[in-house]
Amino acid sequence: MSPASSSELSEQEQRRREEREALEQRGIDPYPYAWDVDAHATEILDTFDDDLHQPEDGEVGAYKVSIAGRITGLRVMGGSAFFDLRDESGTIQVYVRSQDLGEDFYDEVFTELFDIGDIVGVDGFVFRTGMGEVTVRAAADFQLLAKALRPLPVVKETEEETYYEVTDKEFRYRQRYVDLAVNADVREVFRQRSELISTMRDFLDEQGCLEVETPVLQPVYGGASARPFKTHHNALDMPLYLRIADELYLKRLLVGGFEGVYEIGKDFRNEGLSRFHNPEFTMMECYVAYKDYRWMMDLTEELLRTVTTALHDEPTVEFEGHEIDLGGDWRRLPFFEAIEEATGADLYQADADQVYDVAANDLELDEVDPDMELGALLDEIFSEAVEPELIQPTFVTDYPIELSPLAKKHREKEGLVERFELVVAGREVANAFSELNDPQDQRERFEAQARQRAAEVDDDVDPETLIDEDSLRALEYGMPPAAGLGIGIDRLTMILTGQESIRDVILFPLLRPEQ
């Protein structure tokens, strides 16, 4: 993008560019290379001790620091000034005087050419002002580190609330760097997201699972039902797909002899946008040999209880007016019992016509039609009538086989598979199976899934090209019985940080092209 012309610049932006030129004319580099930081704002505020560090009048204090950050407030009072400096940890007040900086620099550079939003380095000492505020006095060195050519949105703080000049959500998502620069609460959400992932990783490592990486570019996409993103590899002259799930490659590793593996990474689904869906999203998938879905329920409870406690010091969280308790025993509710509980209809072993009648006539669901397959009808009923009502952590278990092409058939109940979904606050957070390891059974289900995919994409597509033959070959070498788990990191982060949109927990969500 070419630099903005002067006619496109606001008055403030034009003035800041002129200030930059003035700095350069004085031989001051507005973008120097480095600054030696040895302290941060919160650390200074926490460790300052009046008895040890407060200097006598006019003397240099014992607590010397070198800090750097962004100017967020500026108050000039003749030959001295105060400004607020914000770094990654927080904000601290800085005091500057003309006799410390030199009158020429203070009068002609600092007060004339520095602005709110500029990033500066301060070398000095810490003291407490007469108003009682712990402050850094710029005494040894004071430099501009980055001239801000655009003004940041105005931040106004009162005892009750913090107001931001920019409240438009799309602006905040599109220019996340601005959102982060002015909004400490947003930075805290992403700090907690990072802590969530690192806690999950530590927990799985302690369980003896090995973190691995599997291909993002795949010749045959699989492991879930979704439309993929397609690309082309020029050197090999072959189509490739961005993965929609990690499952099939991770299960190959169980064939290879690993007994517990997991991956935390990006998956991609070429589908719509909503406050619960982003085409690029983060998943944790874990597979453990010789276990089943019942064992995996216990592990999931312990894992999410550990993560919640790490973020909030207790296994409870407030979300959308509900106190979500992840500390107790979670309910385990079979799929068809959940539907009957919510609708009064017993649909176990019902055919598609019977299920459609309930969906269309009793529940009056708009998104159903008589041509829908049984699995799609059941999924629509569950999504609309059951899931939104499950607020406290609930394992919905024993799904119909039509909804779960990769799960092992239920050992006791006809037509069902050993699968659970964890639903919290009306949202699916996790999905798990007793994994299918019978290669013949898997082939039959792959073929049925491929026919459905081909019909959805293009009638001319050969269904056989949509079957991952290598994953079937791997199963033919023998895969131990296993339990698999997938957790949506974005949705879990939404609940544990109290965010209503998935875009609030993804640093750079996908948006329409900027107009």
Side-chain angles (χ1 to χ4, degrees):
M1 181 179 294
S2 60
S5 67
S6 59
S7 62
E8 296 173 326
L9 298 175
S10 68
E11 182 178 339
Q12 284 195 61
E13 291 169 340
Q14 183 61 36
R15 177 177 58 79
R16 287 173 180 244
R17 282 160 174 75
E18 292 169 356
E19 290 171 353
R20 171 190 169 144
E21 292 178 7
L23 288 163
E24 291 174 331
Q25 289 170 3
R26 290 178 172 272
I28 298 173
D29 184 355
Y31 304 100
Y33 290 90
W35 181 264
D36 185 16
V37 175
D38 63 15
H40 288 84
T42 299
E43 171 195 353
I44 296 168
L45 296 172
D46 289 344
T47 58
F48 179 79
D49 187 317
D50 289 283
D51 293 334
L52 296 176
H53 302 138
Q54 182 74 351
E56 298 293 334
D57 289 345
E59 293 185 2
V60 173
Y63 193 167
K64 297 180 181 179
V65 296
S66 179
I67 60 175
R70 193 182 294 276
I71 298 174
T72 58
L74 179 60
R75 304 167 293 282
V76 178
M77 299 164 289
S80 64
F82 289 93
F83 66 84
D84 299 320
L85 181 145
R86 185 172 63 227
D87 60 20
E88 184 181 40
S89 72
T91 301
I92 193 165
Q93 181 172 263
V94 176
Y95 175 53
V96 296
R97 304 189 311 171
S98 61
Q99 56 262 53
D100 291 330
L101 304 183
E103 290 186 8
D104 288 348
F105 183 88
Y106 180 86
D107 293 334
E108 299 176 16
V109 178
F110 172 66
T111 60
E112 294 295 324
L113 304 179
F114 282 33
D115 286 292
I116 291 175
D118 290 351
I119 298 173
V120 298
V122 178
D123 194 347
F125 63 90
V126 188
F127 74 107
R128 189 183 298 276
T129 67
M131 299 297 291
E133 186 166 356
V134 176
T135 301
V136 176
R137 175 173 152 189
D141 196 6
F142 179 47
Q143 287 187 25
L144 178 68
L145 301 179
K147 181 66 184 169
L149 300 183
R150 292 178 181 264
L152 290 172
V154 173
V155 180
K156 299 178 181 179
E157 296 183 353
T158 70
E159 292 183 358
E160 293 81 21
E161 195 170 354
T162 300
Y163 300 90
Y164 297 95
E165 183 184 72
V166 176
T167 57
D168 177 55
K169 283 277 191 177
E170 182 168 341
F171 173 89
R172 293 175 56 199
Y173 299 146
R174 198 175 294 282
Q175 299 188 35
R176 179 68 84 188
Y177 37 86
V178 176
D179 192 24
L180 294 167
V182 301
N183 193 339
D185 292 341
V186 173
R187 294 197 301 276
E188 178 61 16
V189 166
F190 289 101
R191 187 200 65 77
Q192 289 190 324
R193 178 186 172 112
S194 178
E195 184 176 1
L196 181 159
I197 293 172
S198 62
T199 301
M200 185 175 289
R201 178 175 281 115
D202 290 344
F203 177 92
L204 293 170
D205 288 345
E206 290 173 3
Q207 298 295 316
C209 295
L210 179 71
E211 184 174 13
V212 298
E213 296 172 290
T214 61
V216 173
L217 288 172
Q218 301 180 350
V220 181
Y221 63 95
S225 296
R227 184 182 292 270
F229 288 93
K230 184 177 181 180
T231 186
H232 186 83
H233 191 283
N234 291 332
L236 296 178
D237 190 24
M238 63 181 289
L240 290 171
Y241 303 90
L242 292 179
R243 68 184 177 196
I244 62 173
D246 308 354
E247 177 170 347
L248 298 182
Y249 280 91
L250 290 173
K251 288 164 72 172
R252 287 167 167 89
L253 300 180
L254 299 187
V255 173
F258 292 111
E259 295 186 3
V261 293
Y262 73 94
E263 182 169 14
I264 300 174
K266 295 287 189 182
D267 289 335
F268 307 85
R269 298 185 183 178
N270 196 352
E271 298 172 343
L273 300 170
S274 76
R275 67 190 186 99
F276 303 120
H277 299 89
N278 193 67
E280 175 184 354
F281 57 99
T282 303
M283 288 290 295
M284 188 288 295
E285 291 199 34
C286 176
Y287 294 82
V288 182
Y290 310 114
K291 305 298 183 183
D292 63 9
Y293 79 136
R294 293 168 181 166
W295 177 89
M296 190 59 84
M297 279 188 246
D298 294 334
L299 182 84
T300 303
E301 274 195 49
E302 186 179 353
L303 169 59
L304 296 194
R305 188 177 298 124
T306 300
V307 168
T308 306
T309 303
L311 267 60
H312 299 287
D313 297 323
E314 59 182 3
T316 59
V317 62
E318 293 286 337
F319 185 72
E320 294 185 345
H322 301 284
E323 182 176 278
I324 309 297
D325 181 11
L326 292 101
D329 291 331
W330 300 358
R331 189 180 185 194
R332 303 186 179 193
L333 179 64
F335 180 87
F336 284 106
E337 288 184 24
I339 289 180
E340 185 173 7
E341 185 177 285
T343 68
D346 180 3
L347 299 181
Y348 178 50
Q349 294 187 323
D351 61 27
D353 290 339
Q354 294 170 311
V355 174
Y356 173 75
D357 182 60
V358 171
N361 299 321
D362 297 347
L363 302 179
E364 299 181 344
L365 300 181
D366 295 331
E367 300 299 320
V368 299
D369 64 65
D371 295 327
M372 290 176 67
E373 295 185 354
L374 176 61
L377 290 165
L378 289 170
D379 188 48
E380 189 67 23
I381 292 174
F382 180 81
S383 298
E384 295 298 321
V386 180
E387 195 172 53
E389 304 305 315
L390 301 178
I391 303 303
Q392 297 302 325
T394 303
F395 289 117
V396 179
T397 67
D398 304 342
Y399 276 68
I401 195 169
E402 292 84 358
L403 291 177
S404 309
L406 297 176
K408 206 173 184 73
K409 291 178 182 177
H410 201 284
R411 67 194 78 180
E412 297 162 357
K413 300 175 183 177
E414 182 71 24
L416 305 184
V417 294
E418 297 198 346
R419 172 189 178 188
F420 73 76
E421 282 190 343
L422 172 64
V423 181
V424 183
R427 294 159 173 78
E428 176 200 341
V429 171
N431 189 27
F433 304 152
S434 291
E435 293 297 330
L436 183 57
N437 62 338
D438 177 343
Q440 183 58 41
D441 189 356
Q442 182 66 86
R443 175 174 290 281
E444 292 170 359
R445 294 203 225 174
F446 271 173
E447 289 172 350
Q449 186 183 53
R451 288 192 295 270
Q452 180 180 349
R453 281 180 177 170
E456 291 172 352
V457 177
D458 188 337
D459 290 336
D460 295 329
V461 172
D462 182 355
E464 290 188 6
T465 65
L466 302 178
I467 296 175
D468 188 342
E469 289 289 347
D470 183 67
S471 69
L472 291 171
R473 180 170 56 192
L475 288 183
E476 290 173 353
Y477 281 100
M479 187 186 90
L485 169 69
I487 294 179
I489 298 296
D490 307 309
R491 289 188 184 178
L492 179 61
T493 304
M494 287 172 62
I495 294 170
L496 297 190
T497 61
Q499 304 303 307
E500 295 182 356
S501 171
I502 197 170
R503 294 180 177 183
D504 291 318
V505 299
I506 296 175
L507 278 168
F508 300 103
L510 183 65
L511 301 170
R512 296 181 185 277
E514 189 170 5
Q515 299 299 316

